[in-house]
């Protein structure tokens, strides 16, 4: 790594980032989509293939998870308008947000209760289909719901699936794999919440715990998996499959917007704010959205002030060759899904010219937004998911992003803009833990602990 002073000269935002201050950062390397896609290793064809695969598995998903029947076995979340929350933004944060404010409730996705139900489940299904083809488990034209028959389940039991996780990826991979019949090992980092480990153990998942951070859990999981030819390791940092599973959200969102009679074009830009950990979920979703809406969608990631790994990797151009610890941050945050010290280089590479920018947010704010949403819209999200609100609150007022709007000729169009806050998790959080969170939020408010 170059020395810190040199890095700060190259990327002045790091001066505030290393002090764990909230920042808005605009990506100066962003280009138009036509240019961005030149030489890109993935494209809409790959996403369409992923979508078709999910359709093939829909009968099996319905068989195991009857709650997906209303959507014919597809795992998809509601898109809802949250005008009362928008009003709260103005009252409590002096936000000058204009346009419509929507919430994409991946917090309520079936099976895993988080955004990981997109990528994680897709990856396990892809691996399963590979085994089905290799071992000719299904006859010509036979429906995939037969994969739930006892002898098929027994077949999958010879195979192991392993993953390193801060919590939610483990939940998603663990639950789907256990239900399909696999032996599953989830390697959990120290940040992972107890209730997530307990829930997995109830599904019969082998949960191993590590003292260190996410990077260590991944390293151990990979090493163990490599020793066993019948074990498959889900690689959160480099997996194209996970990424494509997330990207399927693009076309589906377009359809949902159409149902709400919302058009996205040059006059009516779309802004999307997504919490970011290692980068796979926000990167994949953004990639899918950029294929559909091109230059009319503006994607922003949000990370905790102590774990802004993607911002660091992108602003320095060093990707995974730099960690938040290298600049003196702890990497520790209450947002367990975002407690990642080193970003995915694969995602950073694809996002380099597509991402509009990033925001960072303090942990105390996550609780505040969580309480705001509960009070105004009666929707519960976990703290990690609440990071996304920071983008919508700040987009119109931070000097950095205001300049972005100006340079992209968007200022006069903001009245007609649509803002989507991507709510990435929360519906599986047990009631008693929700109360702990909400009490913590109330206590912070009393102490004046809010910024
Ligand atoms: C995993 C996760 C994210 C971010 O996804 P990455 O692929 O790690 O960037 C955001 N929010 C929640 C709730 C998550 O579990």
């Amino acid at each position: 790594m170059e020395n810190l002073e040199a890095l700060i000269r190259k990327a002045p935002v790091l001066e505030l980032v290393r002090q764990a201050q909230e920042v808005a950062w605009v990506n100066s390397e962003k280009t138009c989509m036509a240019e961005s896609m030149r030489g890109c290793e993935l494209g809409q064809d790959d996403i369409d293939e992923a979508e078709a695969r999910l359709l093939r598995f829909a009968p099996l998903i319905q068989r195991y998870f009857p709650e997906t029947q209303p959507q014919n076995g597809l795992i998809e979340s509601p898109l809802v308008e949250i005008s009362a929350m928008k009003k709260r933004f103005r009252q409590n944060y002096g936000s000058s947000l204009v346009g419509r404010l929507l919430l994409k409730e991946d917090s309520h996705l079936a099976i895993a209760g988080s955004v990981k139900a997109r990528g994680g489940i897709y990856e396990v299904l892809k691996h399963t289909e590979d085994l089905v083809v290799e071992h000719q488990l299904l006859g010509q034209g036979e429906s995939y719901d037969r994969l739930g028959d006892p002898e098929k389940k027994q077949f999958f039991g010879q195979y192991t699936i392993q993953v390193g996780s801060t919590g939610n990826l483990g939940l998603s991979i663990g639950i789907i794999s256990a239900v399909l019949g696999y032996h599953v090992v989830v390697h959990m980092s120290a940040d992972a919440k107890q209730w997530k480990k307990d829930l997995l153990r109830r599904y019969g998942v082998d949960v191993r715990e590590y003292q260190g951070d996410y990077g260590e859990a991944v390293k151990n999981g990979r090493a163990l998996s490599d020793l066993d030819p019948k074990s498959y390791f889900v690689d959160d940092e480099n997996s194209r499959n996970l990424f494509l599973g997330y990207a399927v959200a693009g076309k589906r969102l377009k359809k949902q917007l159409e149902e709400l009679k919302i058009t996205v074009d040059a006059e009516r830009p779309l802004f999307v704010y997504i919490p970011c950990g290692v980068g796979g979920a926000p990167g994949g979703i953004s990639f899918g959205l950029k294929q559909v809406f091109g230059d009319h969608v503006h994607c922003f990631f949000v990370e905790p002030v102590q774990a802004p790994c993607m911002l660091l990797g992108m602003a320095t151009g060093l990707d995974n060759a730099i960690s938040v610890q290298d600049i003196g941050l702890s990497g520790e945050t209450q947002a367990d899904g975002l407690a990642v010290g080193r970003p995915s280089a694969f995602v950073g590479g694809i996002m380099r010219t597509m991402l509009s920018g990033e925001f960072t947010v303090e942990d105390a704010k996550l609780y505040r937004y969580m309480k705001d949403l509960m009070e105004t819209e009666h929707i519960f999200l976990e703290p990690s998911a609440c990071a996304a609100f920071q983008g919508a609150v700040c987009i119109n007022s931070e000097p950095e992003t205001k300049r972005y709007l100006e340079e992209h000729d968007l200022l006069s169009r903001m009245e007609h803009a649509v803002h989507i806050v991507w709510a990435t998790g929360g519906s599986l959080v047990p009631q008693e833990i929700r109360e702990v969170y909400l009490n913590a939020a109330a206590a912070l408010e009393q102490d004046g602990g809010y910024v």
Side-chain angles (χ1 to χ4, degrees), residues 135-188:
H135 298 274
Q136 301 176 335
L137 294 185
L138 288 176
Q140 187 84 32
E142 209 175 352
S143 166
Y144 278 37
D145 67 356
R146 299 303 301 274
L147 296 174
D149 294 351
E151 73 279 7
K152 303 286 194 316
K153 227 177 139 168
Q154 214 167 358
F155 172 85
F156 294 127
Q158 313 163 57
Y159 294 87
T160 300
I161 293 191
Q162 307 202 44
V163 65
S165 173
T166 61
N168 285 340
L169 185 65
L171 275 187
S172 136
I173 303 277
I175 294 172
I176 188 72
S177 305
V179 166
L180 290 173
Y182 292 103
H183 175 230
V184 207
V185 188
V186 175
H187 304 266
M188 287 282 202

Side-chain angles (χ1 to χ4, degrees), residues 29 96 99 108 112 123 150 191 199 207 216-217 231 236 243-244 249 263 317 350 405 411 413 417 438 447 451:
E29 294 191 48
S96 43
H108 293 69
E123 169 126 20
D191 312 276
L199 179 60
V207 179
E216 195 175 324
S231 175
D236 198 15
F243 189 85
L244 290 170
T263 309
I350 293 195
L405 299 178
L411 277 180
R413 302 183 164 98
L438 289 163
D447 294 350
V451 194

Side-chain angles (χ1 to χ4, degrees), residues 115-116 168 275-282 337-338 382 384 424-425:
V115 68
K116 304 296 194 305
N168 285 340
C276 178
V278 74
L338 315 180
E382 62 185 270
S384 295
T424 45

Side-chain angles (χ1 to χ4, degrees), residues 6 67 95 112 122 139 198 233 235 246 299 353 361 371 385 395 412 426:
E67 69 270 28
S95 165
Y122 174 72
D198 296 341
F233 183 71
D235 179 352
Y246 291 120
C299 300
T353 54
V361 61
K371 188 161 174 283
I395 185 83
S412 64

